[in-house]
Amino acid sequence: MTDDAAVPELRASDADRERVAEVLRDALAEGRLDMEEFEERLEATYKARTYGELTPITRDLPAAGVTPPPPHVSLVKEPVQSGSWAGRIVGGEGSSSWAVAVMSGFQRKGRWTVPKVFNCFAFWGGGEIDLREARFEDRDTVIRCFAIMGGIQVTAPPDMDVQVGGVGIMGAFDHSGSGEGSPGSPRVTVTGLALFGGVAVERKLRKEERQRLKEERKRLQAERHAERRELRAERHAERRERHAERHAGRRERRGSAERPSLEKRDWD
């Protein structure tokens, strides 16, 4: 039996991290977190190794109106879920091993397969490499970017392990996208050279997740509008009821004032 005091030191599973991520998504949809806070906490979630590291992330957030219980420790290995990292490291050969843009542009996005080594070159042009929906030939991937008077944009999801090691000479090689990912994610190393140009590496949510959050915000807004309409209807009904009561009271007072004069007339 595990001592309660040792629970924070227990290793968290992928399912535990996904439960915390779901709480963060709900908080974003409800307006409790802005996008910057959401991305920071989501990154911390996928980096967390133990329950003790997961707990502070949602400590100030409700889950379905109640305080979320501690993550459940499961000793049963669950099947790989669709869309998990294990299902996206497919082996085989990459869709393409290089890309060139000379006074033009190139794109690698969608469900393409990233090879173990991908080389790209942009001269007076631009390139876009989107890894959010990609499959991978191997768990370790190297992307070599060379931008000369041009630009290359690399986009990765927040839960991917990305290490940036390129150099900028009279240009910029952005290292801000570096960071660890969730367990099992591919390890992508972005390296190369930016000469009078730029290479940017940024983190963005997957399109499906952005769409789901957008639809969730719309649903919550519709629910709030419905609640406001219902509240206005209730208030209107209460005002009508109070008006009817006041009108009935005035009629009763007028009737009471007329009765003495009628009785006096009868005596006369």
Side-chain angles (χ1 to χ4, degrees):
M1 179 177 289
T2 303
D3 190 351
D4 290 343
V7 169
E9 302 302 323
L10 291 177
R11 303 284 291 190
S13 67
D14 288 347
D16 298 326
R17 279 179 280 271
E18 283 303 321
R19 281 194 287 270
V20 173
E22 187 65 27
V23 174
L24 295 177
R25 294 185 190 104
D26 291 341
L28 176 65
E30 294 169 0
R32 302 180 190 276
L33 296 176
D34 58 30
M35 183 57 71
E36 184 177 355
E37 291 175 314
F38 169 74
E39 291 179 351
E40 289 177 357
R41 295 195 188 198
L42 189 65
E43 182 178 358
T45 298
Y46 289 122
K47 288 182 178 179
R49 295 293 183 266
T50 65
Y51 289 165
E53 294 174 354
L54 282 176
T55 301
I57 296 173
T58 56
R59 181 172 290 159
D60 59 344
L61 298 175
V66 297
T67 303
H72 173 67
V73 180
S74 175
L75 301 179
V76 180
K77 185 179 173 101
E78 297 180 357
V80 175
Q81 298 180 356
S82 176
S84 67
W85 285 124
R88 292 174 60 180
I89 301 175
V90 297
E93 294 184 359
S95 302
S96 62
S97 59
W98 57 272
V100 175
V102 179
M103 293 185 289
S104 61
F106 70 81
Q107 282 188 335
R108 296 294 185 273
K109 59 192 302 185
R111 294 180 178 274
W112 67 297
T113 302
V114 186
K116 293 181 65 173
V117 179
F118 183 79
N119 298 299
C120 56
F121 175 77
F123 176 73
W124 279 13
E128 180 183 359
I129 303 172
D130 194 333
L131 304 175
R132 289 175 293 177
E133 302 296 332
R135 303 296 185 263
F136 294 84
E137 179 183 328
D138 193 83
R139 188 176 298 277
D140 290 303
T141 298
V142 177
I143 298 178
R144 297 173 180 155
C145 301
F146 300 92
I148 301 176
M149 292 184 287
I152 298 174
Q153 173 74 49
V154 180
T155 304
D159 54 343
M160 180 179 287
D161 187 350
V162 179
Q163 303 301 322
V164 183
V167 176
I169 301 176
M170 302 297 290
F173 209 113
D174 183 14
H175 288 225
S176 63
S178 291
E180 296 182 2
S182 61
S185 78
R187 183 166 46 252
V188 178
T189 301
V190 181
T191 185
L193 173 68
L195 178 63
F196 292 102
V199 175
V201 181
E202 65 176 351
R203 307 287 190 130
K204 286 186 178 180
L205 294 173
R206 296 180 180 89
K207 292 181 179 179
E208 290 82 358
E209 189 163 8
R210 289 207 314 270
Q211 181 64 27
R212 190 189 71 81
L213 291 172
K214 182 179 179 180
E215 292 174 355
E216 181 68 14
R217 284 195 292 269
K218 287 183 177 179
R219 183 185 66 80
L220 291 172
Q221 289 174 355
E223 290 179 356
R224 293 192 189 103
H225 289 324
E227 290 174 358
R228 285 196 288 269
R229 286 195 299 269
E230 184 178 352
L231 182 59
R232 284 196 296 268
E234 291 177 355
R235 290 175 177 173
H236 183 65
E238 290 175 358
R239 285 196 295 269
R240 291 182 59 185
E241 184 177 351
R242 288 196 297 268
H243 179 72
E245 290 175 353
R246 287 197 296 269
H247 184 65
R250 285 195 295 268
R251 291 181 58 187
E252 184 177 353
R253 287 193 294 272
R254 283 199 299 269
S256 300
E258 291 174 355
R259 277 196 294 272
S261 61
L262 292 175
E263 291 173 359
K264 182 178 181 182
R265 190 178 305 164
D266 290 342
W267 279 104
D268 293 340

